[in-house]
Structures are given as structure tokens and as C-alpha cells.
Amino acid sequence: MTNTFMVIFLTFHQYVITVVFFHPSCPQSVDMSAAASCLLTEDQFLCSICLDVFTDPVTIPCGHNFCKTCITKHWDINVPYQCPNCKKVFYTRPELQVNTFISEMAAQFRQSAQQKASSSSSSEQQVSEPEVPCDVCTGTKLKALKSCLVCLESYCETHLQRHLTASGLKRHQLIDPVENLEGRMCPKHDKLLELFCKTDQMCVCILCIVSDHKTHDVVPLKEGYEGKKAKLEGEIQQMIQKRRLKIEEIKHSVELSKEDADRETADGVQVFTALKESVERSQAELIDTIKEKQRKTEKQAEDFIKELEQEISELKKRSTEVEQLLQSEDHLHLPQSFTSVNAAPPIKDWTEVSVHISSYEGTVVRAVNQLEETLRKQMKKLLAEAELKRVQQSAVDLTLDPDTANPWLILSDDGKQVSCGNVKNNLPDNPERFTCYGNVFSKQSFSSGRFYHEVQVKGKTEWGLGVARESINRKGLITLAPQYGYWTILLRNENEYKALAGPAVRLSLQSRPEKVGVFVDYEEGLVSFYDVDAAALIYSFTGCFFTEKLYPYFSPCNNNAGKNSAPLVISPVNSTD
């Protein structure tokens, strides 16, 4: 090879070296595809002693290569000197020759391995598809670049070349490498699954559409893939959107909860502040009472002492006069003067006189009992006010429904007032209308949650308020009771209040309500009535079971020759936060 030289191209790919030899004198005549090549694997660069890539490789006379340190230690122990591979014996210790070519190859293998290890480490956290091995490679299987749906094989870069160059193979369908190509064949007809049956939502072959899927909606597999992909993407987007909406719903719930918490905190602070002020006021009154009693005792004692001191002064004066009389030896003068001394103002008899000491026994007990009663009433009032504020947060805007109004009723144009007239209106008898009683529903109905409204009843001698379910009887005689779908309270004869709980419950109210609040908690099964001005609970229906729409119910009752002509008025809710 004096007229030629060797050019070596090294391509590192999964520890494989391709060595190609070219003739320099006629490069045009060299067919690249036919160039001689040899594939060297990492196994050929491993020391047979340490089983690792060569470090400082040396060659011994028989031609085998080892790490310099490995063969040196081996011959230090084993004499005579023998090759670990071919077992050739050397009677004198051979001189070790450094193999520069193997040394360079081993160094590059080691560098490539380190780079691959580093790349593999950095991509451990990434999700990747499993590598598909080449079906043609013998020995170490290289990674496949493509899979052929006709040949049902996967090919690495080298073995894929024929499919890219040979005219007969260029028509084959290549896809990204996949495992189990046999699974892409129809198990019944052994044909490629290249169609998609939209009717049965499954992949089929060309023969399936003339047998089991003859009348089905069949499209090419790519079209079916695109349809499935679009549907899946749409479903995923819908799921994402639903979850985003759920996040917003949860955030809104948290905001509402915070508002409720802030409101409850404010109400609680108000209640306890008022109670604290009552306790402090009662304490101050108790102290003032005790001090006033003590002041009176001290005043009485001061008055007694002052009076006694005055009498002592008088007595001293008289004592002086008596002493002067006693010094006289005139027997006549003494009896005559003694009479004048006795004629002086009489001295008070202090025998039964004493300071009245106020008794404090029971003072604290009475004060505490009085405080307890005051707090009980105040707590009831404050809690009722707080409760009323709470339910007022559920206020709704109602208007009366003329299609449900009894013909004798008169509704205002804005649908906020209703009263009973003296003339029956000529109205169609539609199914929703009440015929025998002066009742009317609101247009609004409720089948969940909470709602609250207020009705002015000032000036009326009779009225009825509450809620009723949608399916109640509106024709003929009506029984107002929960078992018949009504939850109502009413006023009769100016001062007779009743809750129609079946049987009716007589209500004893502290004052006549002028405005009544109606609150419903659908899920809780609660219907409550409040005296708005007094902030007092009138009555509650509890443990109710609602299964259909509820309508607010209004009954202004009969006109009673003008005595009950005042209207029921749906009033705006003014909650004082």
C-alpha cells in the first residue's frame, strides 16, 4: 500500500465506530454505499482482565491488548508469563508496547460514554417513549428510526437506507418506530388495520368493510385518528374548562364564606360589646348604690355627732353656772337659782338613739339577678337583630303574578301591592288562578337556596303570608296547612295571630307587627317569620321537606266594609349592616 493511504472517519453512535477506507487516487470510483466498513463495538475496547474500557492500553507479543496496570499486576503474580487470552507462554517477561490507536479509541469511547451518561441523567425527569430496537441488527440492537407497516419491521439508520433508495421499497408506508407491529394486523383477515369504523369505534382492515362492517361508517385510519384526536382534545379542553369554572366557583365560595365570616364577626362583636356595656353599667350602678347607702349612714352619724356636741356645749355652760351657785354660802340664793337652772331647755334622751347601719346583704345577689334578667332580654333582642340581619342578606325582589290573583283582588301596576276590592273582576279562569279565596302568588318561584322578603301589613285587621308549593289546589275550598302544601301565618280580628301548622298555633306577640319578614331555607327545610321593626322572631316551621317549586303567598283577606282596605305592600329590604 505504498501508493495509497487510509482515511478513517469515526462516527460515535451508541458506542459504535464505523471505519471506512477510501482509495485516494480515484475517489470518484469509490461507491460510498459500497465502501468497506466495519462495526466496532465497546466490547472490543474492553480489557479482558478488569472488564472495563482500556486505560493506557499495551500490546504483548501475541497481539492481544490489556491495560498496562492490569497486565503488569497479572505478571507480577503469575510466573511464567502467560497471555490471559490465548494462554501463550513467554519464558522471559515481554516488553510492553503502548498501542496508540487503541488508546485513542478507548479514550473517545470513554468520553462518549460520559456524555451519554450525562445526557441520560439530565433527561431522567422527562417522559419519553421507549426505544424500539432495529429488527435487522445482529448482536447489539441499534435504536430504530422508522417502522414499516408493509414489512412489519423496524429499522435503524443503516438498515433504513434501502427503504429510502430502492424503488420498490419507497412505496412502503413508514411511521415513527413502534413496538408490536403484529398488533397492527387484523386478527381475522391478517391484513393491515388501515381503516376506522366510526360506528363501532374500532380499527378495521380492507376486508372487514365487506363483511362485518359492510353498512358501517368507515373512514381512512388517518381521518379516524384526526377525528378521535379532535374529539379527545375537545373533551380535554372541556374538562379543563369545567375545572377552571370549578376553581372560580370554589374561589367565589371562599369569598362568600369570608363575607359571611366578616359579617358574623361584626355581629358577634356588636352583641358582646353591648353585653359588656350592660355588665359595666350594672357594675357601676351596684357600686353607686353601695356608695349612696354608705353616704347616708355617714350623713346620719355626722348629724348625731353635731347635735351631741351642741348638747355637750350646753351642758358645760350649765355646769359652770351650777359650780358658781355651789360656791355661794347664801342658803336662800341656792334654792332659788337652782329652780332657774332646771328651767333650761331639756336635754335629749340618747338612750335609744343609734346610727342606722345599712345592710349590704343580698345587694350583690340582687344586682346579679337583675343583671342576668337584663342580659337575657338584651341577648334575646341582640341575637334576634343579628339573625334578622343574616336572613336579610338573602333578600329577593318580588312582584305579584296577576295570573294567579283571585278576581276580587286589586293589584298595583308595579305588582308590589295587593288589596281586596268590592267588585269582582272579569278575569279568565286559568289553572293558576285562585277562585274561592283572596290569594295571590308572586311571579318568582324558588327550588333551592335561601330567599327572604318583607311585606308591610300596617293598618290591616286581617292578612295571611307565607309560601306554598307549586302543585297546591287553587280551586274551591283550601286548607292552609303544611300537609296541603302551605306554610303560613295569619292575623284575624285585629289581634289574633296564628301559625297554621295543622293544627293552628296561637301566637302571643309583644307588639303588633307593621312589617313582616318571610325567610325560607329550602335545603334546611325552614320557613321563618319576623317582626321587622321589633327585630323579633314570630314563628318558624322547621323540619319541612320541599321537593318542588315554592311560591311566596299573599292574602290581603276580605275588605270588611273598608275596615281592612289597607293593601299588603312588598317593601324593599333595608338591612342595617
Side-chain angles (χ1 to χ4, degrees):
M1 297 182 63
T2 58
N3 296 326
T4 64
F5 65 91
M6 180 175 63
V7 181
I8 302 176
F9 294 94
L10 299 175
T11 302
F12 294 96
H13 180 67
Q14 292 188 346
Y15 308 141
V16 177
I17 299 177
T18 303
V19 183
V20 185
F21 300 90
F22 293 95
H23 196 288
S25 62
C26 51
Q28 295 86 356
S29 65
V30 177
D31 184 0
M32 291 293 293
S33 63
S37 64
C38 64
L39 301 179
L40 303 178
T41 67
E42 183 184 8
D43 293 341
Q44 294 171 280
F45 292 91
L46 297 182
C47 172
S48 60
I49 297 177
C50 65
L51 301 179
D52 199 356
V53 178
F54 289 119
T55 302
D56 296 332
V58 294
T59 303
I60 62 176
C62 63
H64 292 112
N65 301 289
F66 305 94
C67 297
K68 184 178 180 179
T69 303
C70 292
I71 192 64
T72 299
K73 290 182 177 180
H74 179 74
W75 280 347
D76 287 344
I77 300 174
N78 298 290
V79 179
Y81 310 109
Q82 187 179 41
C83 174
N85 286 354
C86 64
K87 307 302 181 183
K88 183 176 180 178
V89 177
F90 304 102
Y91 293 100
T92 60
R93 187 162 182 157
E95 183 179 353
L96 301 177
Q97 302 293 329
V98 176
N99 191 324
T100 56
F101 177 75
I102 295 296
S103 179
E104 292 176 359
M105 295 300 99
Q108 294 189 50
F109 264 119
R110 189 176 291 105
Q111 181 180 1
S112 176
Q114 292 175 350
Q115 292 176 349
K116 181 180 178 184
S118 175
S119 174
S120 175
S121 175
S122 64
S123 61
E124 281 182 356
Q125 297 179 352
Q126 299 179 356
V127 179
S128 59
E129 296 181 357
E131 291 187 357
V132 178
C134 174
D135 292 324
V136 182
C137 286
T138 58
T140 302
K141 297 283 187 179
L142 300 184
K143 178 182 178 181
L145 297 183
K146 293 290 181 180
S147 296
C148 178
L149 294 179
V150 178
C151 302
L152 298 180
E153 288 185 331
S154 299
Y155 304 104
C156 66
E157 183 177 9
T158 301
H159 295 113
L160 181 64
Q161 295 301 316
R162 293 194 66 242
H163 273 75
L164 301 178
T165 58
S167 58
L169 298 178
K170 284 183 178 180
R171 295 190 296 270
H172 289 192
Q173 184 177 356
L174 298 175
I175 62 173
D176 290 335
V178 294
E179 295 181 315
N180 189 25
L181 286 169
E182 291 79 5
R184 293 176 171 267
M185 303 297 293
C186 176
K188 185 174 182 181
H189 303 107
D190 201 25
K191 294 290 183 182
L192 184 65
L193 296 172
E194 53 186 342
L195 301 171
F196 182 75
C197 177
K198 298 173 71 175
T199 304
D200 291 337
Q201 292 291 299
M202 60 182 297
C203 298
V204 297
C205 72
I206 191 68
L207 295 180
C208 289
I209 63 175
V210 297
S211 57
D212 299 337
H213 304 267
K214 186 175 182 179
T215 60
H216 294 181
D217 184 8
V218 179
V219 297
L221 189 59
K222 183 177 180 181
E223 182 179 338
Y225 162 79
E226 295 295 339
K228 275 283 189 181
K229 179 182 177 183
K231 181 180 179 182
L232 181 60
E233 289 176 346
E235 290 176 349
I236 291 175
Q237 290 302 318
Q238 287 182 359
M239 293 171 68
I240 292 174
Q241 184 63 22
K242 286 181 179 179
R243 279 151 182 78
R244 285 175 176 169
L245 292 175
K246 179 57 69 174
I247 289 174
E248 294 302 319
E249 179 185 334
I250 292 172
K251 288 182 178 179
H252 182 62
S253 298
V254 172
E255 291 175 359
L256 292 179
S257 177
K258 186 178 184 303
E259 291 176 2
D260 288 343
D262 292 342
R263 187 164 47 249
E264 287 296 316
T265 300
D267 291 343
V269 169
Q270 181 180 356
V271 169
F272 280 94
T273 300
L275 295 176
K276 179 182 177 182
E277 290 174 353
S278 294
V279 172
E280 291 174 348
R281 189 165 50 249
S282 296
Q283 177 183 338
E285 290 174 356
L286 172 63
I287 294 173
D288 289 344
T289 300
I290 295 173
K291 285 183 177 180
E292 179 62 21
K293 286 185 177 182
Q294 178 63 18
R295 189 191 63 79
K296 289 181 178 180
T297 299
E298 291 176 355
K299 180 64 169 60
Q300 185 185 39
E302 290 175 359
D303 292 342
F304 286 163
I305 292 172
K306 185 178 180 180
E307 188 176 353
L308 286 168
E309 287 177 345
Q310 289 177 351
E311 291 189 1
I312 290 173
S313 178
E314 288 291 330
L315 289 173
K316 284 182 177 181
K317 182 179 179 182
R318 294 174 67 183
S319 176
T320 302
E321 293 176 355
V322 170
E323 185 176 352
Q324 292 175 353
L325 288 175
L326 293 176
Q327 292 177 356
S328 176
E329 295 181 356
D330 186 351
H331 298 282
L332 179 62
H333 178 68
L334 178 59
Q336 289 178 344
S337 299
F338 186 76
T339 303
S340 62
V341 173
N342 286 336
I347 300 301
K348 182 177 180 180
D349 183 6
W350 290 91
T351 305
E352 301 298 331
V353 176
S354 63
V355 175
H356 176 69
I357 299 177
S358 299
S359 174
Y360 301 104
E361 183 179 355
T363 302
V364 175
V365 175
R366 287 191 297 271
V368 171
N369 290 337
Q370 184 178 355
L371 174 61
E372 183 180 2
E373 180 63 21
T374 302
L375 289 179
R376 187 185 64 79
K377 292 179 179 179
Q378 190 170 9
M379 284 177 60
K380 183 177 180 181
K381 183 176 183 298
L382 291 173
L383 292 175
E385 290 176 351
E387 175 66 13
L388 181 59
K389 287 181 182 180
R390 184 184 69 82
V391 300
Q392 284 177 331
Q393 303 303 318
S394 303
V396 294
D397 186 20
L398 300 181
T399 52
L400 300 171
D401 185 2
D403 291 336
T404 64
N406 182 280
W408 290 90
L409 299 184
I410 302 172
L411 274 61
S412 62
D413 292 338
D414 62 359
K416 298 296 185 181
Q417 301 185 27
V418 58
S419 59
C420 185
N422 296 316
V423 179
K424 182 179 180 180
N425 298 307
N426 186 17
L427 299 173
D429 186 15
N430 49 284
E432 296 83 11
R433 191 177 305 283
F434 288 94
T435 56
C436 289
Y437 293 92
N439 305 332
V440 61
F441 277 172
S442 69
K443 291 181 180 180
Q444 294 77 17
S445 64
F446 304 89
S447 56
S448 64
R450 302 172 179 177
F451 61 94
Y452 172 85
H453 61 278
E454 293 178 354
V455 184
Q456 179 180 305
V457 296
K458 183 178 179 180
K460 296 194 65 61
T461 59
E462 294 185 353
W463 50 259
L465 294 172
V467 293
R469 64 184 179 217
E470 184 179 29
S471 62
I472 49 90
N473 175 36
R474 309 185 191 197
K475 311 296 181 183
L477 297 176
I478 294 175
T479 302
L480 299 178
Q483 57 266 39
Y484 297 102
Y486 290 90
W487 292 266
T488 61
I489 64 171
L490 53 79
L491 167 66
R492 293 291 185 266
N493 302 322
E494 296 189 27
N495 58 8
E496 294 180 7
Y497 295 92
K498 295 180 181 180
L500 301 183
V505 177
R506 184 75 177 266
L507 304 176
S508 178
L509 306 183
Q510 298 295 325
S511 60
R512 293 189 61 183
E514 293 188 350
K515 186 182 291 185
V516 175
V518 183
F519 172 72
V520 176
D521 188 329
Y522 194 97
E523 284 74 22
E524 189 69 20
L526 175 68
V527 181
S528 296
F529 300 86
Y530 296 87
D531 180 344
V532 176
D533 296 323
L537 177 66
I538 297 175
Y539 186 80
S540 287
F541 292 91
T542 59
C544 309
F545 182 65
F546 304 128
T547 58
E548 55 184 276
K549 292 180 180 179
L550 295 179
Y551 284 86
Y553 161 92
F554 307 84
S555 177
C557 298
N558 295 331
N559 185 285
N560 289 339
K563 294 181 180 180
N564 192 37
S565 60
L568 291 177
V569 181
I570 300 175
S571 305
V573 176
N574 297 317
S575 175
T576 55
D577 292 329

